[in-house]
Amino acid sequence: MTKVPSNRLPVKLIALDLDDTLLNGNAQISDENVNVLRRAASLGIYVVLCSGRAEDAILPFVRRMDIAGLKAGRYLIAINGCSIFDLHTRTQIFCQNVASDILCKADAEGEKMGLRSEVYSPDTIYYREATKWTKLDVDLCGLKGVAVKDYESFLQKGAFPKMLIPGEPETLLVLQDTLKALFGTKAVIFTSKPYFLEVLPPNCGKGEAIRWLAEHIGIPMNQTMGFGDSMNDESMIRLCGYGVAMKNGLKYIQDIATFVTEKDNNESGVADFIQKYVL
């Protein structure tokens, strides 16, 4: 069943996941997506990239959009809602970190299963040692990768917004259940991709960050729209006034969304939907 609006939607903020949503299969933003989003921003609709990536890994896409100079293009949400960055003042205006004891326990549980964890700063991924999985993440994000000699002490002393544990999907599902049972409400646990398990601070997500930002700039949540495709987009899909799932998104995300795009990420589904139902 197609889930599309019957009327033009009164939207003042559009939040956009990157991978498999705004980005096509080549990890690029199409000209059509760029043109429609530039038009939206020029009309005063806030356009906010909202990704699991760290800040520096989002900046190439900010430059591609070329809207950061506009009032409506000044913000980005990073690390699945753990950080909000103001591009005009070049400052982080919102940040949440995972408690160090949670990081150490999650790392220890991963180690029992032969998995190696990673933690992030805005421009660097830190890990115990380089593996094929760390290389995959470094290449995907375009950040620096740094091996830390005494990694456990590093976790105990540092302040980090998220931990990522990469590995085979079947193994991560087992670890996900273990960590959820171990931490309860003390951390948010989910798989952003089948091979990436993430550990975030409690009550943290893209939707919660959008709610904070909307209040910060004076926009009602019922006038916000969020586009996503996967489990790290769940809170955004649920909390935004209009949660829009991609045609290529997970069935679960499509089921909980207000609407579903008529085109997928390789067909500029974001632009198609915004042009038809917002602009």
Side-chain angles (χ1 to χ4, degrees), residues 1-267:
M1 178 180 175
T2 303
K3 297 165 70 175
V4 296
S6 57
N7 299 301
R8 179 178 173 275
L9 302 174
V11 174
K12 293 186 177 180
L13 184 152
I14 299 171
L16 299 141
D17 170 54
L18 287 176
D19 294 297
D20 301 314
T21 298
L22 185 61
L23 305 187
N24 60 26
N26 295 318
Q28 297 176 339
I29 308 176
S30 70
D31 290 344
E32 187 176 358
N33 278 338
V34 168
N35 291 337
V36 167
L37 291 170
R38 282 178 181 169
R39 183 180 170 212
S42 71
L43 294 173
I45 299 172
Y46 282 84
V47 174
V48 182
L49 299 186
C50 189
S51 173
R53 299 172 185 237
E55 288 90 334
D56 278 22
I58 301 174
L59 291 179
F61 303 106
V62 171
R63 289 190 282 271
R64 165 71 170 134
M65 297 289 294
D66 194 26
I67 58 171
L70 301 174
K71 179 182 177 181
R74 70 183 292 178
Y75 300 107
L76 66 82
I77 295 174
I79 315 179
N80 284 322
C82 294
S83 172
I84 302 176
F85 196 80
D86 185 330
L87 295 162
H88 287 192
T89 61
R90 298 185 180 183
T91 56
Q92 186 182 57
I93 59 174
F94 174 86
C95 181
Q96 294 190 78
N97 292 313
V98 184
S100 59
D101 64 315
I102 297 291
L103 293 175
C104 291
K105 288 177 183 176
D107 174 66
E109 291 298 325
E111 285 287 316
K112 290 178 185 178
M113 302 179 70
L115 300 169
R116 293 293 166 90
S117 69
E118 310 169 8
V119 289
Y120 293 71
S121 72
D123 63 357
T124 305
I125 302 173
Y126 300 97
Y127 38 76
R128 184 176 273 105
E129 65 178 2
T131 68
K132 69 174 185 178
W133 295 108
T134 58
K135 184 179 187 306
L136 173 66
D137 196 21
V138 167
D139 289 347
L140 179 65
C141 294
L143 298 178
K144 294 180 293 184
V146 174
V148 178
K149 187 174 182 180
D150 190 351
Y151 184 69
E152 186 172 354
S153 295
F154 184 70
L155 294 181
Q156 291 172 347
K157 297 176 182 178
F160 302 102
K162 86 167 181 178
M163 171 175 280
L164 184 140
I165 305 176
E168 297 296 339
E170 299 81 5
T171 307
L172 292 183
L173 288 175
V174 176
L175 180 59
Q176 177 177 264
D177 290 343
T178 299
L179 296 184
K180 284 186 174 182
L182 182 63
F183 298 141
T185 59
K186 294 179 180 179
V188 175
I189 313 291
F190 59 83
T191 51
S192 54
K193 292 183 180 294
Y195 43 83
F196 285 163
L197 177 64
E198 305 207 9
V199 181
L200 300 184
N203 303 310
C204 183
K206 293 182 179 183
E208 289 83 354
I210 293 165
R211 183 167 58 194
W212 188 95
L213 180 59
E215 182 176 352
H216 177 71
I217 57 183
I219 291 175
M221 275 300 283
N222 64 6
Q223 295 182 353
T224 63
M225 175 177 284
F227 286 83
D229 71 288
S230 194
M231 292 307 297
N232 61 328
D233 302 313
E234 179 179 4
S235 68
M236 173 171 65
I237 296 295
R238 289 190 182 278
L239 294 178
C240 281
Y242 306 103
V244 185
M246 298 301 295
K247 181 181 178 181
N248 54 283
L250 297 177
K251 182 180 184 302
Y252 174 79
I253 296 299
Q254 292 187 15
D255 287 344
I256 66 172
T258 317
F259 306 115
V260 177
T261 63
E262 295 164 277
K263 296 184 178 181
D264 66 26
N265 65 309
N266 287 312
E267 302 170 304

